[in-house]
């Protein structure tokens, strides 16, 4: 056992050592932060000067003397960090890329962009983006290699680099990556939808690809910005695809097109075996119905209203939302569902009638002292029966206190009363 | 007697040394994880994610109970999130104050019958409200049943594939959901849960309005200690556990879950005092047993400010509850402890919880008492006694300094003056803050043994009156 004096000595030394170490670390942290703030202000100043020097972004091949003077005070790491950030403006990123190539040589840049170990991964990422900014001929090959690698961060950067290049060759690489599922398809699709050059002609062959996922993404991207009428027939063919996801996206694409033949095609999908296809068909029909003549519109509404009895909640929900979106004119078709043998159809119809304002309108009519229409009163009663006490209470609450006596009287006339 | 005392003293020193080594190891892993996440965030094209129609929609569920002060600012911050497609479902769990009235007025709510899928059981609903001005907002008023019950009710109304479960007293920055979902949308097949760092504030609604992307301390000692505690926990432990694939606590203040996983688990459990840590353990338990691929992440971005107790009494109540739920969860899932079948969750995460969370209050009290007795009996003189505690104060402050440093290097979102304040609080933590937590931990252990399940919600902090406006 240690003597008391020895123990005290050890503990006092430990206290001093721990305190000193803490003070040193804390001091280093604060100094690092102050240095970082100083450097950030410098970088902001540099960025501002580059942007105000009128640099032409895309034609930049060599930095101007002014840019050399601005950037030569920065380390390679700092310059690479500026290149890799999407928040850096094109002008600044291009200026940094040009400077990096001039300073460290194109061979160094290509080496940095070609391979990496654990430590230099982020340097490779920045080098790839730099080559893309410079539109270097090696960029395409190196970005494609990065996209095919196992590292998702590099693959993501490669996608950004190809978007930066923004030409047909880059689009071809991206579409190939989409087909091979080299990276998140949704992310690639996001960029292809906004690609600087038209890519529809490159995507159309994928509509007949053997892989359903490829057909899916091609149809989705093409459908979003489709203006070519000849595309319609290709997408209509996909509504009969053997894969349900492809059928769904084809329906969604049709929803964005305007053609009088679409409702007829989509109507058939209301009975598709896949519930999510039926839901998509309902939404597409609701969009298309607005442009139809009255009689045709009524037929579409009846078809959608019938889906209130669907086995799947998401389909019933889509039908409810679609009908509400079409507004008060749907009420007669919906009211018929109040007599359905299916309980979901009955309460779904009640909810739709509530949400299109029919119930409130009827109540307001009575509250103003007008005689209620017997047919509408019957509909009101049936809707409340199927909607339950909460629907009655909600309607009463929406009416307001000043009309409460008339509302209670109306409800009593149809054998109902509010629960609260 | 001397031998017993020395044995206890040396054991305490060994325990402290073991904890310090564990923390330093976790900090090393956390450094790696935070660095990777920072780089990923630096090169992420958030504009594309924000604008993309392919970004996975999210249903945000916010249970509230007696949040008259915070419900509206919290809801506003949720509706103000910069995310392409979301819905907000506020579940008022039978509030007895003006919470519902405040929401109705603020968002022009009207009552509507709304049929939903009763997939998870929950207490009866009194009324559903929809906003006339923002169709994304639904408020469900139900009978009181606790937070887990309210969450399950919200899940029944949710329509999207991912859920974001939040507290009703938390205010979010606009980019919160975007930054948290960015890694999720890249790997939705595997990532089933995600958490992110949040700060503690006495008046979160004011902080969120004032400072935007800049974080600040509260200039209130107790609140700042809590803020520091949370920062250290997220940075030192949860980031490291993410790297080790054993992230064991998705906090209820902000937690993203894949909806099908929550349904597969049968929803949140009301049998535990808090639902967040238990759900996380349950998923690890089930998925590791079944060999299913999955990941649960903790991200180092600060996404929100939540209200922290202003008084010691309120803090003790809160932390006792946290201790209680930790014990409940660890006891329930004790079969995972030390078993290779549960990989790092059983071999790294669980031992930490057992040794340094569950047993900590008892070990710490024993250590302090033993040292004090040793000093009183002359086995250790008073200068040595004081030097020991001084050493421990600085030794435990060093990992805190590392954690602050890692966060600052990654995000640079504190002012230098606030950094300095947090650094100084580091060594004071052991002397001023830890005793409170120690007491709360003991109380939590006692409540666990008594099978106490009460929530013990702390009173909302009194708000400062708005400054008077001088007449023109």
């Amino acid at each position: 056992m240690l003597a008391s004096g020895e123990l005290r000595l050890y503990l006092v030394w430990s206290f001093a050592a721990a305190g000193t170490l803490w003070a040193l670390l804390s001091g280093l942290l604060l100094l690092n932060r102050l240095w970082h703030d100083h450097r950030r202000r410098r970088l902001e100043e540099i960025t501002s000067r580059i942007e105000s020097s009128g640099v032409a972004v895309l034609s930049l091949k060599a930095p101007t003397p002014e840019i050399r003077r601005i950037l030569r005070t920065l380390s390679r790491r700092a310059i690479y960090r500026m290149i890799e950030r999407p928040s850096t403006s094109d002008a600044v990123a291009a200026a940094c890329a040009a400077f990096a190539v001039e300073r460290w040589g194109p061979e160094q840049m290509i080496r940095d962009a070609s391979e990496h170990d654990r430590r230099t991964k982020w340097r490779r990422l920045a080098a790839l983006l730099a080559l893309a900014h410079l539109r270097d001929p090696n960029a395409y090959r190196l970005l494609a290699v990065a996209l095919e690698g196992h590292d998702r961060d590099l693959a993501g950067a490669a996608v950004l680099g190809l978007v930066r290049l923004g030409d047909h060759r880059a689009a071809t690489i991206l579409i190939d990556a989409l087909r091979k599922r080299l990276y998140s398809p949704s992310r690639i699709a996001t960029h292809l939808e906004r690609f600087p050059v038209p890519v529809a002609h490159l995507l159309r062959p994928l509509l007949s690809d053997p892989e359903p996922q490829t057909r899916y993404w091609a149809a989705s991207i093409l459908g979003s910005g489709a203006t070519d009428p000849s595309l319609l027939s290709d997408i209509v063919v996909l509504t009969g695809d053997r894969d349900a996801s492809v059928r769904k996206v084809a329906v969604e694409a049709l929803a964005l097109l305007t053609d009088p033949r679409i409702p007829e095609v989509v109507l058939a999908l209301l009975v598709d075996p896949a519930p999510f296809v039926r839901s998509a068909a309902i939404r597409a029909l609701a969009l298309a119905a607005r442009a139809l003549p009255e009689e045709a519109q009524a037929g579409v509404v009846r078809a959608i209203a019938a889906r209130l009895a669907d086995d799947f909640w998401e389909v019933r929900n889509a039908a409810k939302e679609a009908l509400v979106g079409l507004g008060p004119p749907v009420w007669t078709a919906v009211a018929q569902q109040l007599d359905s043998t299916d309980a979901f159809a009955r309460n779904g119809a009640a909810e739709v009638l509530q949400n299109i304002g029919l119930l409130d309108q009827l109540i307001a009519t009575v509250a103003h002292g007008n005689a209620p229409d017997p047919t509408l009163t019957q509909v009101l009663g049936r809707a409340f029966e199927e909607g339950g006490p909460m629907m009655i209470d909600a309607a009463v609450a929406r009416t307001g206190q000043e009309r409460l006596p008339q509302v209670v009287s109306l409800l009593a006339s149809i054998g109902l009363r509010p629960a609260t | 007697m001397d031998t017993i005392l020395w044995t206890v003293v040396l054991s305490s020193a060994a325990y402290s040394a073991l904890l310090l080594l564990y923390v330093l190891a976790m900090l090393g892993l956390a450094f790696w994880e935070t660095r990777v996440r920072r780089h990923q965030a630096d090169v992420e094209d958030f504009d594309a994610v924000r604008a993309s129609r392919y970004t996975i929609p999210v249903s945000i569920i916010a249970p509230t109970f007696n949040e008259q002060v915070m419900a509206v600012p919290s809801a506003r911050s949720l509706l103000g999130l910069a995310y392409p497609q979301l819905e907000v479902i506020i579940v008022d769990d039978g509030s007895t104050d003006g919470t519902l009235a405040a929401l109705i007025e603020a968002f022009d709510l009207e009552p509507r019958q709304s049929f939903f899928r009763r997939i998870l059981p929950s207490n009866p609903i009194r009324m559903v409200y929809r906003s006339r001005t923002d169709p994304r907002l639904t408020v469900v008023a139900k009978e009181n049943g606790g937070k887990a019950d309210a969450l399950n009710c919200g899940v029944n109304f949710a329509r999207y594939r991912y859920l974001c479960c939040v507290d009703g007293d938390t205010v979010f920055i606009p980019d919160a959901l975007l930054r948290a979902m960015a890694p999720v949308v890249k790997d939705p097949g595997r990532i089933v849960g995600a958490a992110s760092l949040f700060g503690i504030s006495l008046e979160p609604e004011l902080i969120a309005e004032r400072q935007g992307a800049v974080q600040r301390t509260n200039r209130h000692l107790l609140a700042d200690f809590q803020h520091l505690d949370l920062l250290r926990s997220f940075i030192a432990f949860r980031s490291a556990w993410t790297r080790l694939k054993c992230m064991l606590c998705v906090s209820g203040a902000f937690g993203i879950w894949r909806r099908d996983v929550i349904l597969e688990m049968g929803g949140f459990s009301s049998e535990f005092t808090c639902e967040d840590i238990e759900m996380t353990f349950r998923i690890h338990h089930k998925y590791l047993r079944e060999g299913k691929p999955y990941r649960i992440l903790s991200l180092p971005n600060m996404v929100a400010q939540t209200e922290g107790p202003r008084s010691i009494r309120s803090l003790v109540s809160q932390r006792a509850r946290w201790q209680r739920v930790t014990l409940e969860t660890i006891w329930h899932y004790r079969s995972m402890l030390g078993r290779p079948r549960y990989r790092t969750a059983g071999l790294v995460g669980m031992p930490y919880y057992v040794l340094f969370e569950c047993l900590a209050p008892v070990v710490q009290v024993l250590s302090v008492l033993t040292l004090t007795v040793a000093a009183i009996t002359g086995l250790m003189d008073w200068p040595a006694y004081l030097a020991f505690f001084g050493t421990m104060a600085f030794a435990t402050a060093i990992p805190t300094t590392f954690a602050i440093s890692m966060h600052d290097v990654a995000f640079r979102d504190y002012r230098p003056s606030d950094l300095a304040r947090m650094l100084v609080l580091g060594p004071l933590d052991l002397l001023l803050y830890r005793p409170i937590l120690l007491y709360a931990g003991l109380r939590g252990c006692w409540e666990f043994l008594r099978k106490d399940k009460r929530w013990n919600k702390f009173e909302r902090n009194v708000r400062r009156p708005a400054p008077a406006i001088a007449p023109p």
Side-chain angles (χ1 to χ4, degrees):
Chain A
M1 293 291 183
L2 290 172
S4 178
E6 279 180 338
L7 177 63
R8 187 195 325 133
L9 190 65
Y10 282 129
L11 286 172
V12 168
W13 274 111
S14 300
F15 170 62
T20 304
L21 184 58
W22 168 82
L24 275 172
L25 290 171
S26 302
L28 278 172
L29 189 164
L30 286 172
L31 284 174
N32 173 273
R33 177 53 189 274
L34 292 172
W35 173 77
H36 167 269
D37 286 349
H38 167 71
R39 195 180 63 159
R40 180 176 49 79
R41 282 190 293 271
R42 260 190 71 229
L43 283 175
E44 284 171 0
E45 188 190 333
I46 286 168
T47 302
S48 173
R49 282 164 64 190
I50 291 175
E51 285 174 341
S52 64
S53 67
V55 169
V57 174
L58 296 177
S59 63
L60 186 68
K61 289 298 177 191
T64 62
E66 186 184 357
I67 288 173
R68 283 193 200 95
R69 198 168 44 249
I70 295 169
L71 292 177
R72 71 178 171 216
T73 56
L74 297 177
S75 66
R76 181 158 66 150
R77 185 164 170 249
I79 289 175
Y80 273 6
R81 290 295 301 273
M82 287 171 73
I83 293 169
E84 73 187 13
R85 287 182 178 157
S87 56
T88 304
S89 70
D90 291 344
V92 174
C96 291
F99 177 80
V101 166
E102 186 185 83
R103 174 122 180 224
W104 292 292
E107 295 80 17
Q108 179 64 52
M109 184 76 80
I110 291 169
R111 263 200 302 279
D112 285 344
S114 299
E115 57 197 23
H116 72 278
D117 57 28
R118 192 170 52 79
R119 286 180 307 114
T120 59
K121 165 179 159 173
W122 303 104
R123 185 195 301 169
R124 181 181 176 191
L125 190 150
L128 284 167
L129 291 173
L131 290 174
H133 275 294
L134 294 168
R135 311 193 74 80
D136 188 286
N138 294 290
Y140 299 91
R141 174 180 58 84
L142 292 168
L143 288 168
V145 167
L147 204 43
E148 287 176 5
H150 297 297
D151 192 299
R152 297 183 76 84
D153 296 318
L154 282 168
V159 170
L160 290 180
L162 289 165
V163 172
R164 164 66 46 214
L165 289 166
D167 55 18
H168 284 109
R169 190 175 167 191
T172 304
I173 298 172
L174 276 175
I175 290 169
D176 194 50
L178 182 71
R179 198 170 50 77
K180 293 176 182 172
R181 241 89 61 218
L182 296 177
Y183 188 64
S184 165
S186 63
R187 196 60 64 88
I188 297 176
T190 295
H191 289 297
L192 284 173
E193 276 189 347
R194 312 186 307 172
F195 213 70
V197 299
V199 297
H201 62 290
L202 297 171
L203 285 165
R204 277 181 89 155
L206 270 63
L207 293 176
S208 52
D209 191 276
E211 277 296 315
Q213 273 207 44
T214 306
R215 298 196 299 276
Y216 173 94
W217 285 108
S220 183
I221 300 165
L222 284 169
S224 68
T227 52
D228 181 1
S230 68
L231 187 61
L232 176 64
S233 55
D234 289 343
I235 293 180
V236 166
V237 167
L238 288 179
T239 59
D241 195 280
R242 57 187 179 279
D243 188 274
S245 299
V246 177
R247 296 198 299 274
K248 177 206 165 203
V249 80
V251 168
E252 288 172 345
L254 288 178
L256 301 174
L257 300 170
T258 47
D259 190 287
R261 293 168 289 170
I262 289 174
E264 190 184 333
V265 170
V266 177
L267 264 169
L269 290 166
L270 285 182
V271 292
D272 190 279
F276 53 87
V277 176
R278 298 200 294 277
S279 302
I282 288 169
R283 294 197 170 93
L285 274 173
L287 279 174
R290 293 185 174 95
L292 292 176
E294 197 174 316
E295 195 178 322
Q297 195 179 101
V300 166
V301 169
R302 278 194 298 274
I304 295 175
R307 288 293 105 208
L308 291 172
D310 196 280
D311 290 339
F312 285 82
W313 175 85
E314 63 179 294
V315 181
R316 297 195 298 272
N317 205 47
K320 283 192 280 188
E321 290 176 352
L323 291 166
V324 171
L326 288 168
V330 308
W331 82 268
T332 47
V334 172
Q336 287 172 10
Q337 293 297 323
L338 288 171
D339 296 321
S340 169
T341 53
D342 186 281
F344 288 130
R346 295 196 302 271
N347 65 39
E351 191 178 344
V352 171
L353 292 173
Q354 167 196 254
N355 290 343
I356 61 174
L358 185 74
L359 307 184
D360 293 353
Q361 195 181 332
L362 288 169
I363 291 172
T365 301
V366 171
H368 275 112
N370 299 318
D373 180 287
T375 308
L376 291 176
T377 306
Q378 192 182 19
V379 168
L380 184 73
R382 287 289 297 122
F384 279 144
E385 277 173 20
E386 296 303 328
M390 195 186 296
M391 186 168 280
I392 299 172
D393 287 346
V396 169
R398 289 194 304 272
T399 306
Q401 284 296 317
E402 65 276 10
R403 297 178 190 165
L404 189 58
Q406 293 97 317
V407 173
V408 172
S409 172
L410 171 65
L411 289 170
S413 71
I414 51 178
L416 298 169
R417 63 185 181 90
T420 54
Chain B
M1 174 71 167
D2 286 359
T3 308
I4 293 171
L5 280 175
W6 268 117
T7 304
V8 177
V9 167
L10 289 174
S11 301
S12 304
Y15 178 89
S16 301
L18 187 63
L19 175 59
L20 197 59
L21 282 172
Y22 184 94
V23 170
L24 289 174
M26 291 301 108
L27 279 170
L29 289 167
F31 173 75
W32 183 9
E33 174 72 12
T34 307
R35 193 161 169 265
V36 169
R37 295 288 171 200
R38 174 172 61 92
H39 273 297
Q40 288 175 339
D42 278 347
V43 300
E44 179 67 74
D45 189 356
F46 285 108
D47 285 341
V49 178
R50 192 180 293 120
S52 173
R53 63 190 181 98
Y54 299 111
T55 299
I56 301 173
V58 175
S59 296
I60 301 173
I61 303 172
T64 61
F65 177 72
N66 287 357
E67 296 289 357
Q68 185 175 341
V69 173
M70 286 302 301
V72 171
S74 177
R76 272 201 226 284
S77 74
L78 292 172
L79 291 168
L81 290 171
Y83 198 77
Q85 200 173 358
L86 59 84
E87 63 174 352
V88 176
I89 303 163
I90 297 175
V91 183
D92 179 45
D93 194 37
S95 294
T96 55
D97 65 356
T99 300
L100 187 58
L103 288 168
I104 289 172
E105 186 186 342
F107 298 105
D108 196 15
L109 301 177
E110 60 176 8
R112 293 200 168 272
Q113 167 65 292
S114 185
F115 293 104
F116 58 96
R117 291 175 292 181
R118 295 174 198 277
I119 307 171
L120 299 172
S122 71
N123 278 5
I125 289 170
R126 292 173 182 159
M127 185 54 71
V128 178
Y129 297 85
R130 303 280 185 181
S131 171
R132 290 188 187 95
T133 51
D134 195 329
R136 299 173 302 165
L137 175 63
T138 301
V139 175
V140 181
K142 62 182 279 294
E143 289 181 13
N144 181 261
K147 190 179 174 192
D149 190 81
L151 281 169
N152 290 338
C153 176
V155 173
N156 288 336
F157 277 84
R159 56 189 295 170
Y160 295 134
R161 187 179 172 194
Y162 271 86
L163 309 172
C164 179
C165 301
V166 302
D167 279 345
D169 63 350
T170 305
V171 178
F172 297 87
I173 65 169
D175 272 353
L177 195 57
L178 194 68
R179 289 188 177 269
M181 285 295 290
V184 175
V185 300
K186 286 185 195 169
D187 195 6
R190 271 200 318 161
I191 297 178
V192 303
S196 202
L197 173 63
F198 52 93
I200 297 287
S201 169
L202 297 177
E203 294 179 55
E205 67 279 16
L206 297 183
I207 297 288
E209 278 174 22
R210 269 205 311 260
Q211 64 189 29
V214 176
Q215 304 298 334
R216 294 183 189 181
T217 53
N218 293 273
R219 297 293 189 251
H220 181 279
L221 205 57
L222 195 63
D224 286 342
F225 274 130
Q226 293 173 64
H227 187 89
L228 192 60
D229 192 15
L230 214 58
L231 183 72
R232 183 176 47 224
S233 170
F234 266 87
I235 298 295
F237 294 113
R238 300 187 195 193
S239 293
W241 292 338
T242 298
R243 182 125 294 260
L244 293 172
K245 298 179 184 174
C246 63
M247 220 296 284
L248 284 168
C249 183
V250 174
S251 173
F254 182 84
I256 291 174
W257 297 108
R258 215 173 68 197
R259 187 161 147 267
D260 63 299
V261 172
I262 296 299
L263 295 179
E264 186 185 347
M265 296 298 132
F268 296 92
S269 174
S270 297
E271 291 182 16
F272 296 81
T273 304
C274 297
E275 80 300 335
D276 47 9
I277 185 174
E278 191 277 328
M279 175 58 76
T280 321
F281 267 77
R282 201 184 329 162
I283 291 172
H284 280 289
H285 185 253
K286 186 172 197 297
Y287 275 51
L288 286 168
R289 209 177 57 240
E290 295 175 2
K292 288 186 187 178
Y294 75 104
R295 292 246 14 227
I296 299 177
L297 311 178
S298 178
L299 302 167
N301 315 68
M302 191 166 298
V303 296
Q305 297 284 332
T306 195
E307 185 165 342
R310 185 189 285 265
S311 70
I312 293 175
R313 184 178 173 180
S314 299
L315 178 64
V316 166
S317 183
Q318 182 193 62
R319 295 308 175 100
R321 185 180 81 236
W322 291 7
Q323 177 72 9
R324 196 185 341 136
V325 76
T326 301
L327 289 164
E328 288 170 0
T329 306
I330 296 299
W331 179 249
H332 188 82
Y333 292 100
R334 59 192 183 277
S335 63
M336 291 172 65
L337 179 64
R339 292 181 64 186
R341 180 183 197 176
Y342 296 102
R343 301 186 189 172
T344 46
L347 299 174
V348 177
M350 284 285 283
Y352 165 81
Y353 270 98
V354 171
L355 284 174
F356 303 124
E357 294 283 347
C358 298
L359 296 179
V362 174
V363 171
Q364 287 166 3
V365 160
L366 201 60
S367 304
V368 171
L369 285 176
T370 307
L371 284 165
T372 308
V373 167
I376 290 171
T377 59
L379 189 67
M380 174 188 277
D381 61 22
W382 287 105
Y385 177 83
L386 291 173
F388 176 82
F389 279 104
T391 305
M392 291 306 299
F394 283 115
T396 53
I398 288 169
T400 303
T401 304
F402 273 121
I404 296 169
S405 174
M406 282 197 298
H407 180 84
D408 190 59
V409 167
F411 299 103
R412 306 292 186 186
D413 55 358
Y414 282 98
R415 298 176 305 178
S417 57
D418 292 300
L419 284 176
R421 181 176 168 84
M422 287 197 291
L423 288 168
V424 167
L425 289 180
L428 297 176
D429 179 276
L430 184 76
L431 305 171
L432 300 180
Y433 184 61
R434 287 289 140 187
I436 301 172
L437 299 190
L438 179 57
Y439 171 66
L442 287 171
R443 189 173 127 176
C445 292
W446 177 242
E447 289 171 356
F448 166 72
L449 292 171
R450 291 178 60 238
K451 296 188 181 354
D452 189 337
K453 298 282 188 187
R454 289 172 299 166
W455 185 262
N456 294 334
K457 181 184 171 76
F458 66 88
E459 290 292 322
R460 286 292 160 225
N461 298 324
V462 174
R463 264 45 185 179
R464 285 169 285 182
I469 301 171

